[in-house]
């Protein structure tokens, strides 16, 4: 532990994925930026993104077609203005990446972009860097931010809570955050004109997830605690195809494989997607994940199989070098044998409610990327629309923050660490963590019922009570902060799911199996209307 410090900056960015870094690069044109990230710069979800960025780039495509596909996949809950804004801004953002950040997307031999196809899309429109798009993007953006003298990067640093003028008897506006330096276990204070949450999703709330260990909804939780509005948390997306292997930790098998002709088969070799949807393997993700779930429950098998063996082997290894290599490490040659796959939690379609410039309901607090809810995805996100959304809203927020002015109290009340006794009960944290993730998987997964949701709520309530006592009695640790955030996010998901008595997009409840006009609306949660924030 060292003496706490106060850091002054113009824009504080919490999170270091595509949205955070792209915002930082653009916002640095008119101010100083401080990025905090709880592990290394590359430890977020973007780095793992395989498929790419959806945008209207092909001769046979149009804005209207991309908009229509997004609306259909979103099952009636997309905000049409957000969809139009995002889709129409796409080509300009892609050009910015190529011209100003040096991103090189995969191309055909004649120099045209090689566009991928994924579920829900009726045209090829996914710009990609083979099958490691996220890694390729992060490499370029990391170079841009690390070499920019106006950007400071604090790794191993996590947000504890936002600083709000409401604590000083004024109207609620945010002026920075308390942050935990994990290297020294010190809580510092950052003062900023604008605070931007870009901390990604919350896949770790489920036991099986394609997300990295960092994705536990920290940003959504701290924003909710500060009074931000949060929407549609019940729409958690499960990716249909993650590798089923004891040591693979839900390695993603990109939807782009189905875009190139992959076929989903039962263990006995029969293809089944045609009996679930006209678009078969390329149906929206909620349909494919539910179909796989149904097949597994019927057969009792551990996995279904994605068959690529009918496609040219050279093509597969060139188009999917990352996935081919990884599969070979597990002894699976996808050119010869079908790949065992199962669904896993993948993307948070809800999040912190924002307007078309990433502004939340709290002055000087912004949210971008997966932590935000712009209305683009509705009840089910169309594949590869999210990296596009991250770029569009990060850019717009970077223009908007120019107008922020710092409002802060004269004296800031420093962070107080409860009774500050060092915890020797780390095991309690990990037990609670496991229990939340299992509860969510078992009761708040792909298929839900009223009873399962009530069970989940009762368990999450108990755990949150325990954390409340624990949290205030012991020295704050990163694990405890993450647990507290994870439990709140789980509560937000369950709370939203319990209030939607219908089935729509990613929320499927067997007790209410149909779509209902009454629920043709967003689920808005905030302190007072939603789970307890403490
Ligand atoms: C994938 O590669 O299948 C993931 C793409 C996405 O989630 O948008």
């Amino acid at each position: 532990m060292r003496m706490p410090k106060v850091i002054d900056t113009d824009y504080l960015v919490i999170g270091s994925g595509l949205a955070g870094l792209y915002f930082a690069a653009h916002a640095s044109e008119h101010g100083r930026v401080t990025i905090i990230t709880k592990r290394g710069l590359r430890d977020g979800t973007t780095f793992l993104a395989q498929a790419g960025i959806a945008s209207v780039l092909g001769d046979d495509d149009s804005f209207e077609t991309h908009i229509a596909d997004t609306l259909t996949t979103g099952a009636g809950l997309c905000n049409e203005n957000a969809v139009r804004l995002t889709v129409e801004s796409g080509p300009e953002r892609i050009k910015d990446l190529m011209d100003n950040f040096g991103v090189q997307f995969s191309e055909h031999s004649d120099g045209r972009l090689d566009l991928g196809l994924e579920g829900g899309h009726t045209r090829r429109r996914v710009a990609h860097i083979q099958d490691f798009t996220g890694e390729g993007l992060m490499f370029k953006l990391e170079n841009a931010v690390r070499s920019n003298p106006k950007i400071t990067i604090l790794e191993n640093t996590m947000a504890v809570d936002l600083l709000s003028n409401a604590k000083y008897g004024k109207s609620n506006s945010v002026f920075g955050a308390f942050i935990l330096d994990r290297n020294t276990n010190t809580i510092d204070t950052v003062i900023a004109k604008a605070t931007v949450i870009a901390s990604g999703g919350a896949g770790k709330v489920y036991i099986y997830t394609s997300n990295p260990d960092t994705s536990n909804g920290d940003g959504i939780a701290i924003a909710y605690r500060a009074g931000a509005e949060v929407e549609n948390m019940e729409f958690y997306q499960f990716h249909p195809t993650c590798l089923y292997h004891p040591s693979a930790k839900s390695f993603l098998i990109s939807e782009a494989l189905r875009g190139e002709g992959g076929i989903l088969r039962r263990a006995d070799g029969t293809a089944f997607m045609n009996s679930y949807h006209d678009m078969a393997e390329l149906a929206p993700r909620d349909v494919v994940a539910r179909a796989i779930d149904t097949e597994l429950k019927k057969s009792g098998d551990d996995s279904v199989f994605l068959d690529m063996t009918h496609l040219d082997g050279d093509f597969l290894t060139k188009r999917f070098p990352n996935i081919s290599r990884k599969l070979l490490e597990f002894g699976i040659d996808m050119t010869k044998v079908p790949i065992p796959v199962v669904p896993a939690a993948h993307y948070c379609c809800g999040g912190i409610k924002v307007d078309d410039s990433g502004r939340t309901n709290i002055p000087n607090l912004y949210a971008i990327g997966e932590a935000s809810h712009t209305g683009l995805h509705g009840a089910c996100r169309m594949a590869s629309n999210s990296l596009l959304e991250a770029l569009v809203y990060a850019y717009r927020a970077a223009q908007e923050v120019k107008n922020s002015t710092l409002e802060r109290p004269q004296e800031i009340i420093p962070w107080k660490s409860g009774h500050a006794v060092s915890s020797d009960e780390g095991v309690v944290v990990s037990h609670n963590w496991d229990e939340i993730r299992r509860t969510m998987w078992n009761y708040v997964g792909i298929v839900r019922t009223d009873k399962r949701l009530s069970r989940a709520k009762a368990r999450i309530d108990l755990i949150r009570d325990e954390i409340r006592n624990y949290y205030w009695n012991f020295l704050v640790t990163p694990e405890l902060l993450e647990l507290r955030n994870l439990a709140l996010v789980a509560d937000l998901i369950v709370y939203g799911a319990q209030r939607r008595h219908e089935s729509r997009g990613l929320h499927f409840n067997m007790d209410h199996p149909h779509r209902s006009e009454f629920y043709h609306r967003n689920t808005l949660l905030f302190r007072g209307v939603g789970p307890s924030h403490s």
Side-chain angles (χ1 to χ4, degrees), residues 91-105:
E92 205 183 328
R93 290 301 109 225
I94 300 277
K95 187 166 171 354
D96 183 39
L97 285 179
M98 297 199 299
D99 295 352
N100 301 321
F101 293 85
V103 172
Q104 288 176 308
F105 291 106

Side-chain angles (χ1 to χ4, degrees), residues 388-404:
L388 177 64
E389 181 191 47
L391 292 172
V392 170
Y393 283 80
Y395 179 76
R396 293 180 67 85
Q399 308 313 310
E400 186 60 35
V401 289
K402 276 187 240 171
N403 307 321
S404 339

Side-chain angles (χ1 to χ4, degrees), residues 482-494:
E482 285 189 325
L483 175 68
R484 179 193 188 213
N485 292 337
L486 190 87
L488 172 52
V489 170
D491 210 352
L492 288 165
I493 296 172
V494 176

Side-chain angles (χ1 to χ4, degrees), residues 49-52 118 237 239 241 252-256 258 285 346-347 381-386:
Q50 294 174 353
E118 288 180 78
Q237 185 167 70
H239 195 290
T241 57
L252 188 68
I253 304 296
S254 176
E255 196 153 305
R258 278 176 279 135
R285 257 183 210 172
H346 184 61
Y347 192 88
R381 178 185 67 109
M382 193 164 70
S384 292
N385 265 354
S386 41

Side-chain angles (χ1 to χ4, degrees), residues 354-425:
V354 294
D355 70 4
D356 59 11
S357 293
R359 279 185 300 217
T360 69
N361 60 308
I362 305 180
N364 295 339
L365 180 66
Y366 291 73
I368 49 177
E370 190 174 350
S372 71
H373 181 255
T374 65
L376 172 70
H377 307 308
C380 181
R381 178 185 67 109
M382 193 164 70
S384 292
N385 265 354
S386 41
L387 290 183
L388 177 64
E389 181 191 47
L391 292 172
V392 170
Y393 283 80
Y395 179 76
R396 293 180 67 85
Q399 308 313 310
E400 186 60 35
V401 289
K402 276 187 240 171
N403 307 321
S404 339
T405 43
L406 179 63
E407 290 168 43
R408 54 162 291 189
Q410 291 267 310
E411 286 290 319
I412 296 168
I413 307 163
W415 174 266
K416 281 199 208 76
S417 243
H419 296 102
V421 180
S422 187
S423 162
D424 58 357
E425 285 188 67

Side-chain angles (χ1 to χ4, degrees), residues 241-288:
T241 57
C242 286
L243 179 62
Y244 177 73
H245 188 282
S247 3
K249 224 182 163 198
S250 302
F251 176 71
L252 188 68
I253 304 296
S254 176
E255 196 153 305
L257 272 77
R258 278 176 279 135
E260 297 301 344
I263 299 172
L264 284 164
R265 299 188 188 280
R266 300 186 184 108
D268 67 6
T270 25
F272 55 85
M273 273 314 301
N274 270 320
S275 56
Y276 288 91
H277 198 278
D278 291 348
M279 292 175 84
E281 273 74 9
L282 289 179
R285 257 183 210 172
D286 57 324
V287 176
V288 183

Side-chain angles (χ1 to χ4, degrees), residues 172-463:
N172 197 5
S173 64
V174 162
F175 60 95
F178 285 122
I179 60 170
L180 172 69
D181 171 356
R182 301 175 58 160
N183 300 319
T184 59
N185 244 335
T186 313
I187 295 189
D188 296 316
T189 306
V190 185
I191 312 280
K193 285 199 283 195
T195 301
V196 182
I197 295 181
S199 51
K204 293 300 282 186
V205 87
Y206 290 98
I207 198 127
Y208 302 111
T209 175
S210 62
N211 291 183
D213 289 345
T214 48
S215 296
N216 64 303
D218 299 311
I220 298 172
I222 65 169
Y224 183 80
R225 280 200 294 272
E229 293 173 338
V230 167
E231 265 179 339
N232 286 3
M233 292 297 289
E234 63 272 31
F235 296 112
Y236 216 98
Q237 185 167 70
F238 288 73
H239 195 290
T241 57
C242 286
L243 179 62
Y244 177 73
H245 188 282
S247 3
K249 224 182 163 198
S250 302
F251 176 71
L252 188 68
I253 304 296
S254 176
E255 196 153 305
L257 272 77
R258 278 176 279 135
E260 297 301 344
I263 299 172
L264 284 164
R265 299 188 188 280
R266 300 186 184 108
D268 67 6
T270 25
F272 55 85
M273 273 314 301
N274 270 320
S275 56
Y276 288 91
H277 198 278
D278 291 348
M279 292 175 84
E281 273 74 9
L282 289 179
R285 257 183 210 172
D286 57 324
V287 176
V288 183
R290 256 193 319 277
I292 296 176
D293 188 69
T294 308
E295 290 296 326
L296 293 179
K297 283 185 177 135
K298 268 199 293 199
S299 64
D301 291 336
D302 292 328
S303 75
V304 295
F305 293 84
L306 181 62
D307 187 3
M308 305 297 292
T309 57
H310 52 293
L311 296 163
D312 179 68
D314 279 349
F315 164 73
L316 288 179
T317 39
K318 280 202 191 97
R319 172 68 177 84
F320 302 111
N322 171 35
I323 296 172
S324 304
R325 197 178 331 109
K326 191 80 180 179
L327 286 174
L328 285 174
E329 280 172 27
F330 294 112
I332 300 165
D333 179 350
M334 74 160 145
T335 67
K336 300 208 168 68
V337 292
I339 311 160
V341 288
V342 285
H346 184 61
Y347 192 88
C348 185
C349 291
I352 306 160
K353 184 182 177 189
V354 294
D355 70 4
D356 59 11
S357 293
R359 279 185 300 217
T360 69
N361 60 308
I362 305 180
N364 295 339
L365 180 66
Y366 291 73
I368 49 177
E370 190 174 350
S372 71
H373 181 255
T374 65
L376 172 70
H377 307 308
C380 181
R381 178 185 67 109
M382 193 164 70
S384 292
N385 265 354
S386 41
L387 290 183
L388 177 64
E389 181 191 47
L391 292 172
V392 170
Y393 283 80
Y395 179 76
R396 293 180 67 85
Q399 308 313 310
E400 186 60 35
V401 289
K402 276 187 240 171
N403 307 321
S404 339
T405 43
L406 179 63
E407 290 168 43
R408 54 162 291 189
Q410 291 267 310
E411 286 290 319
I412 296 168
I413 307 163
W415 174 266
K416 281 199 208 76
S417 243
H419 296 102
V421 180
S422 187
S423 162
D424 58 357
E425 285 188 67
V427 71
V428 176
V429 173
S430 78
H431 284 172
N432 279 334
W433 179 274
D434 279 355
E435 194 175 341
I436 294 170
R437 300 182 67 208
R438 261 177 221 289
T439 300
M440 292 298 286
W441 184 263
N442 290 336
Y443 302 137
V444 201
I446 297 173
V447 174
R448 302 161 179 181
T449 65
D450 287 347
K451 211 178 218 163
R452 286 182 203 168
L453 292 175
S454 305
R455 281 199 184 128
K457 178 70 182 148
R459 280 164 175 71
I460 303 283
D461 279 350
L462 263 178
I463 295 172

